Amino acid sequence: MSVNVQIVFYSMYGHIYTMAQAVAAGVRTVEGAAATLLQVPELVPDAVLEKSGAAKARSAFKHVPVARPEQLTEPDAIIFGTPTRYGNMCGQMRNFIDQFGPYWQKGAFEGKVGSVFASSGTQHGGQETTITSFHTTLFHLGLIVVGVPYSETRQMTTAEMTGGTPYGATTIAGDGSRRPSENELAIARFQGRHVAEVATALKRGRNT
């Protein structure tokens, strides 16, 4: 049983890209599951990216293909990754999803598995509202939303500052110098595996 999972992300300074790699690694631990990374188009002018230092950071994943809306009708599951912008998804991701209209009208996303991971600047910077508000969009598209159950006990640690929620994996970027911790990456790997397992079970059930 083969299952195709797309990890569709936007990353400005590389935090979400690092998390996306961990999510993909988790997907690939499930027999027959394939993970594809795609990034959404950039909207910020090159001069602004250069001035902010984001251009250098983004060069680390310039090899990742830019997603086209019609591609997202193909996989069995889609895992979205976005930084937090005032408690919501970033504008780049919103702009990309807003192009789904023609496919949404045809029900092209219905029955696929959907999931979300995120980053924020602080522990209380809106990482949970970013994911849960993103879920509203996924419900409208007809996706079956999957989070991170508490069997992933690493999200409950109090021994260190860490992201990780029952809604999806998260990381805390701070001033940008803090990179995703091993605890956060482990939760991201769990999310990838869990989504792939759910997608596999659904596909198997439909084929019996």
Side-chain angles (χ1 to χ4, degrees), residues 18-85:
T18 300
M19 293 286 281
Q21 290 177 299
V23 170
V27 168
R28 293 173 184 136
T29 64
V30 176
E31 184 177 359
T36 302
L37 267 66
L38 297 168
Q39 58 177 316
V40 302
E42 181 59 90
L43 301 176
V44 177
D46 290 344
V48 176
L49 291 173
E50 192 68 41
K51 185 176 181 180
S52 68
K56 181 178 180 181
R58 288 176 55 78
S59 67
F61 49 91
K62 64 182 180 181
H63 63 285
V64 177
V66 175
R68 303 186 312 275
E70 63 271 21
Q71 285 179 281
L72 274 69
T73 66
E74 301 167 358
D76 302 292
I78 311 167
I79 309 176
F80 296 91
T82 178
T84 292
R85 296 291 185 263

Side-chain angles (χ1 to χ4, degrees), residues 175-191:
D175 63 1
S177 61
R178 182 184 186 274
R179 309 310 296 179
S181 68
E182 179 49 42
N183 195 66
E184 293 166 338
L185 294 172
I187 297 170
R189 288 190 290 270
F190 178 99
Q191 184 173 359

Side-chain angles (χ1 to χ4, degrees), residues 60-140:
F61 49 91
K62 64 182 180 181
H63 63 285
V64 177
V66 175
R68 303 186 312 275
E70 63 271 21
Q71 285 179 281
L72 274 69
T73 66
E74 301 167 358
D76 302 292
I78 311 167
I79 309 176
F80 296 91
T82 178
T84 292
R85 296 291 185 263
Y86 310 108
N88 289 282
M89 71 177 79
C90 65
Q92 291 86 346
M93 184 64 72
R94 182 75 265 168
N95 177 270
F96 180 68
I97 292 175
D98 282 349
Q99 299 173 52
F100 288 4
Y103 311 101
W104 162 76
Q105 288 178 325
K106 298 175 183 177
F109 302 103
E110 290 182 14
K112 298 181 186 297
V113 177
S115 196
V116 184
F117 60 99
S119 67
S120 62
T122 65
Q123 279 185 291
H124 310 293
Q127 53 185 285
E128 292 191 343
T129 58
T130 294
I131 296 176
T132 56
S133 62
F134 205 132
H135 285 169
T136 301
T137 296
L138 301 190
F139 284 125
H140 275 264

Side-chain angles (χ1 to χ4, degrees), residues 157-172:
T157 185
T158 57
E160 60 180 275
M161 181 177 75
T162 184
T165 78
Y167 315 111
T170 60
T171 186
I172 302 161

